[in-house]
Amino acid sequence: MELRNIAIIAHVDHGKTTLVDAMLRQSGTFRENQQVAERVMDSNDLEKERGITILAKCTSVEWKGMRINIVDTPGHADFGGEVERILSMVDGVVVLVDAAEGPMPQTKFVTGKALGLGLKPIVVINKVDRGDARPHEVHDECFDLFAALDADDEQLDFPTMFAVGRDGWADDSLEGPRKDLSALFDLIVRHVPPPTRDLDKPFSMLATTLEADPYLGRILTGRIHTGVVKTNMAVKGLDREGNLIENFRAAKILAFRGIERVPVEQAEAGDIVCISGMTKPTVADTLCAPEVTEPLKAQPIDPPTLAMIF
Ligand code: GDP
């Protein structure tokens, strides 16, 4: 299945959850509105029962035979390289902005890093139904923000959609019929490049997030950089310097489907998956086939971009 990996950057309350929910409903992932509601509730109940976070930080929707992985970005500024690692999993970003409030200072940090990584932004100006909406001004504010963050010409030529996520529509104009999110799905597929799928090289993946599951133990999530990983395959963990941390077997491989994670037999370069079976490797380490010697690194962001923000 063809893939796209995106992150949504949004200030809290600008409508990210509502929009992703509408994307789930309208995509092929779930057919009935009812089902999404039930699944969300199921997960929450399970969460309460187990007292852990099992809700994925990644959601995937299907659109015209294509899978779009949507990665959650932390809204807060972070100095541990977490944002770079998360953004290194995606090939494009949707910058979601409230049509009345405009871009907020708190999202500049993540937006600046995304632009510094060369990711092409799509701007979604949301909540255009608000009485105090000023969509065109907000569009210009996004342009000015990107320019101040050193965006290149291609990034400044960003496509814009106007949306009411709550009503489940997004369109490139404020006039005309308002149907659904098809135009946004199509834009994501068209504008965001597909991940490189280097299947000839051995398996390698940069571990991006870590969690502890009571049944599966340690779980590391990341984007597969090269090759294929199969359940039970021999894998090793390398630290940032390339030192061996542990040899283990990929006990379980989980892929994102809607808001759930499902076990899969194998996964390929380009996809974002969770792997269990290790006891020592952690975030920023590389999981790879035994013959790999070079660790993966998240691309550092050039200093001038950061200087613009602080
Ligand atoms: P998040 O914090 O970015 O995930 O935002 P939510 O999706 O939780 O939405 C925050 C608030 O904005 C909620 O009260 C939503 O009902 C409201 N909201 C979401 N989408 C829209 C919209 O398109 N128009 C308006 N007017 N309100 C919206």
Side-chain angles (χ1 to χ4, degrees):
M1 188 179 256
E2 262 219 74
L3 267 181
R4 294 291 183 277
N5 294 321
I6 62 164
I8 300 186
I9 300 174
H11 185 63
V12 61
D13 263 3
H14 282 198
K16 181 163 67 176
T17 311
T18 308
L19 181 70
V20 172
D21 216 53
M23 289 172 85
L24 277 164
R25 288 197 177 118
Q26 290 184 29
S27 68
T29 321
F30 302 100
R31 253 161 248 109
E32 304 276 322
N33 295 5
Q34 195 73 28
Q35 280 177 306
V36 178
E38 277 170 12
R39 298 220 180 188
V40 175
M41 273 197 358
D42 284 348
S43 306
N44 285 337
D45 288 348
L46 264 176
E47 244 189 346
K48 276 186 213 127
E49 215 173 272
R50 297 190 193 170
I52 53 150
T53 302
I54 60 158
L55 275 184
K57 287 277 178 355
C58 178
T59 305
S60 101
V61 300
E62 281 172 35
W63 179 251
K64 296 181 181 167
M66 185 96 51
R67 175 167 305 120
I68 305 170
N69 285 321
I70 306 169
V71 174
D72 208 6
T73 52
H76 56 277
D78 147 301
F79 299 89
E82 186 190 7
V83 172
E84 273 104 330
R85 275 194 299 279
I86 287 174
L87 290 174
S88 75
M89 295 200 293
V90 304
D91 303 291
V93 288
V94 170
V95 180
L96 180 72
V97 183
D98 183 303
E101 292 191 1
M104 302 295 275
Q106 293 90 328
T107 58
K108 281 185 191 170
F109 183 79
V110 180
T111 307
K113 292 212 168 194
L115 295 172
L117 281 170
L119 298 172
K120 292 203 289 178
I122 291 171
V123 169
V124 175
I125 298 178
N126 193 30
K127 306 196 191 184
V128 295
D129 59 319
R130 280 180 63 155
D132 52 354
R134 40 184 198 91
H136 296 292
E137 266 173 61
V138 166
H139 169 269
D140 293 347
E141 287 169 15
C142 290
F143 182 93
D144 293 344
L145 171 67
F146 294 173
L149 292 169
D150 269 357
D152 62 27
D153 288 348
E154 209 186 344
Q155 290 171 325
L156 283 177
D157 197 22
F158 58 86
T160 303
M161 292 237 142
F162 301 100
V164 178
R166 200 162 60 185
D167 294 345
W169 68 265
D171 240 308
D172 55 9
S173 124
L174 282 166
E175 280 88 51
R178 290 155 180 188
K179 294 197 316 278
D180 51 29
L181 295 170
S182 314
L184 179 59
F185 282 122
D186 287 340
L187 177 62
I188 291 168
V189 168
R190 208 170 53 238
H191 195 69
V192 178
T196 47
R197 313 205 77 175
D198 195 345
L199 302 180
D200 296 330
K201 294 207 177 114
F203 164 68
S204 67
M205 169 180 130
L206 180 69
T208 302
T209 60
L210 165 75
E211 67 206 276
D213 179 274
Y215 302 107
L216 300 178
R218 204 173 182 89
I219 298 179
L220 288 167
T221 300
R223 169 187 175 149
I224 303 176
H225 187 66
T226 53
V228 177
V229 62
K230 296 183 179 168
T231 305
N232 264 323
M233 190 176 106
V235 176
K236 68 179 180 183
L238 296 178
D239 69 12
R240 289 178 222 207
E241 280 74 48
N243 302 310
L244 175 69
I245 306 167
E246 185 181 25
N247 289 307
F248 64 95
R249 285 189 182 274
K252 270 248 172 1
I253 302 166
L254 305 172
F256 295 92
R257 300 284 183 271
I259 55 160
E260 299 189 322
R261 298 194 270 199
V262 298
V264 291
E265 263 312 300
Q266 65 170 60
E268 298 179 352
D271 208 352
I272 297 171
V273 293
C274 315
I275 297 179
S276 74
M278 74 293 294
T279 61
K280 293 198 190 86
T282 186
V283 163
D285 292 339
T286 298
L287 306 185
C288 53
E291 63 266 38
V292 176
T293 49
E294 277 298 304
L296 297 169
K297 290 198 171 65
Q299 193 184 328
I301 312 295
D302 51 329
T305 309
L306 286 178
M308 300 297 300
I309 303 168
F310 296 113

